[in-house]
Amino acid sequence: MSDESVTVEFIARLGSAMLSADYPVTMVRHTLERVAQRQGADCPVLVLPNFIQAGDRQHTTVARGAALRYDQTFPLGELIEQAQSRRLDPAAGLAELDRIHALPRRFSGWVGVIGYGLQSAAYGLILQPTVVSLVAATGFGLVVGLLELLTRRNAALRQLLPVLSAFLVTYVAFSLGRLLHLGHDSLRVLIAPLTLFLPGVAITLAVIESSTSEVVSGSARLMAGLMRLAQLALGILLAVQLLGLTWSELADAPANTLGSWAPWLGVAVYAVGIILHLGPPRGFAPWLTLVLFTAYAAQLVTNAWFGGYVSGFGGGLILILCALTLSRLSMTPVAQVMLAPGFWLLVPSSIGMIGVAELASGQGGAAITVMLVSMMSIALGFTTGYAVWNAFTRRGGQDADSAAEL
């Protein structure tokens, strides 16, 4: 293979990996153009949410592969920085991509199940700090985590997992709620174990890409996000209809019987769950904890001042500014990997602050609207924060394009 062909293949595969790690299309294109410039290659690129074409028709075309795990995005971020900042040998870059895709998980599957159970317990502490809600969120989280583990190698079943999980959690939660007279606790535990399937990333990227004139990519991601919401809604609706739930059983009554400290403990528990479930590199825990507490505090303050619908905006704004600032330090990873956990925390919290009743009261249109508004609010916070960052870095005479990896 000629040197030019190796360069084009590296550019195409790097772009494919970035898409698999949920980088925005605009950033993927910008990165690949910079890499091609560093390599002295004339290599126009075509980037879509699930497709990369580098060079002309005689050059390599790479379709997007399986999504990269969170732990794999750390070495990918380092590779992207190396490819942009200095002349990286394309053959070495291809070898590094092969190594990244072959990386084993840091922990076993059972540890990951426990980690997801802790994540669900954390959401229980944040959304409904009661003993019943905490126990239920933990138990359902372990069940959903186990289902995710068992279907990991079966693509067909994984496509059905959102519907099956939503149906199972809703049916069992309300059945136990009726049997044990749990009332509002049976409703509030629905969100916690199902956060794995919330399409926050897809909808956020859709907003970001649409705001940068990437209409095709934005529309495709938005439709993918809406399909995931439809799957969740279908599972919940089937369970609600099968049980014949009444309006009084779907009423939402938030409660906190543990104390004001419980949601803050939930953020700490969430950090532990992320480490066990997704297995980021050693040494990332302090930065993860800092980002999570900063984002959650910003969301709470915004909610107190402006209400639940705007809480995601404040959380997203502070989150991205925090991640971009930390990414400038030599010992921290790129901003992209620090943004993700904070974002995963913000989406369910934002929905919970607005009110779970609107999600499960039988008003399907209201449920979709609540989810979309909360996710779009966070996305707008991201774009606003990035614009503010660029304005200040340019004013300071720095290169804003290389200041952060989003």
Side-chain angles (χ1 to χ4, degrees):
M1 186 180 294
S2 66
D3 291 342
E4 183 181 5
S5 298
V6 173
T7 299
V8 172
E9 181 180 357
F10 170 63
I11 291 173
R13 286 192 56 192
L14 179 63
S16 178
M18 292 179 70
L19 288 177
S20 298
D22 290 319
Y23 280 77
V25 164
T26 48
M27 183 181 175
V28 175
R29 182 183 300 108
H30 175 71
T31 299
L32 299 186
E33 289 172 349
R34 293 194 65 183
V35 173
Q37 183 181 14
R38 295 286 186 185
Q39 297 294 331
D42 182 15
C43 181
V45 294
L46 172 64
V47 184
L48 295 174
N50 61 348
F51 184 78
I52 289 283
Q53 178 175 320
D56 56 29
R57 294 183 180 179
Q58 283 73 46
H59 288 159
T60 307
T61 299
V62 179
R64 176 180 176 180
L68 288 179
R69 302 190 310 269
Y70 179 62
D71 60 293
Q72 293 173 314
T73 63
F74 286 79
L76 175 63
E78 296 176 2
L79 178 61
I80 293 169
E81 284 193 330
Q82 293 175 9
Q84 291 186 101
S85 61
R86 64 175 182 264
R87 189 178 177 86
L88 178 71
D89 179 36
L94 288 173
E96 177 63 10
L97 284 172
D98 290 335
R99 187 190 73 84
I100 291 172
H101 283 284
L103 280 176
R105 295 178 183 270
R106 180 180 171 188
F107 300 116
S108 66
W110 293 106
V111 174
V113 172
I114 295 173
Y116 189 74
L118 288 176
Q119 286 180 247
S120 183
Y123 288 126
L125 287 170
I126 294 171
L127 299 177
Q128 186 81 338
T130 67
V131 174
V132 172
S133 177
L134 176 60
V135 172
T138 305
F140 286 128
L142 291 173
V143 171
V144 174
L146 179 60
L147 291 175
E148 190 271 336
L149 175 63
L150 296 177
T151 59
R152 190 169 287 172
R153 300 182 182 276
N154 191 318
L157 284 179
R158 283 192 70 85
Q159 295 298 321
L160 297 175
L161 191 57
V163 178
L164 295 176
S165 298
F167 174 81
L168 179 64
V169 170
T170 305
Y171 188 88
V172 176
F174 280 103
S175 296
L176 290 177
R178 280 179 167 178
L179 181 64
L180 303 177
H181 306 287
L182 299 181
H184 54 262
D185 281 315
S186 61
L187 175 60
R188 278 258 159 177
V189 298
L190 290 184
I191 290 183
L194 298 179
T195 52
L196 179 67
F197 310 110
L198 289 177
V201 173
I203 293 178
T204 299
L205 290 178
V207 174
I208 293 174
E209 291 172 350
S210 297
S211 65
T212 55
S213 301
E214 297 288 347
V215 180
V216 175
S217 299
S219 300
R221 292 192 193 274
L222 181 60
M223 287 304 301
L226 291 176
M227 284 300 298
R228 177 57 62 86
L229 286 180
Q231 287 180 301
L232 291 174
L234 177 61
I236 294 174
L237 181 61
L238 288 175
V240 168
Q241 290 188 341
L242 186 61
L243 290 170
L245 297 176
T246 63
W247 284 92
S248 60
E249 291 176 287
L250 293 172
D252 176 37
N256 185 347
T257 61
L258 297 181
S260 58
W261 52 266
W264 296 101
L265 175 62
V267 177
V269 173
Y270 183 74
V272 177
I274 285 287
I275 293 173
L276 296 181
H277 181 222
L278 302 177
R282 293 180 178 86
F284 181 60
W287 307 113
L288 171 65
T289 305
L290 175 60
V291 167
L292 290 178
F293 274 99
T294 301
Y296 185 68
Q299 189 180 40
L300 280 184
V301 171
T302 310
N303 177 64
W305 288 355
F306 302 104
Y309 283 99
V310 190
S311 65
F313 177 85
L317 174 65
I318 300 302
L319 171 61
I320 193 169
L321 291 177
C322 176
L324 290 172
T325 302
L326 291 177
S327 68
R328 302 295 296 274
L329 303 177
S330 59
M331 72 287 292
T332 57
V334 297
Q336 175 79 8
V337 298
M338 289 190 286
L339 277 174
F343 173 76
W344 298 330
L345 177 67
L346 288 179
V347 171
S349 301
S350 179
I351 294 173
M353 288 176 179
I354 294 170
V356 184
E358 296 178 67
L359 300 178
S361 62
Q363 302 174 9
I368 297 298
T369 301
V370 167
M371 284 193 176
L372 286 177
V373 168
S374 63
M375 294 175 191
M376 291 177 68
S377 176
I378 298 172
L380 290 175
F382 281 175
T383 54
T384 303
Y386 189 50
V388 171
W389 176 268
N390 278 342
F392 277 96
T393 52
R394 288 198 179 101
R395 184 173 300 177
Q398 300 171 1
D399 182 4
D401 291 329
S402 61
E405 293 291 343
L406 289 179

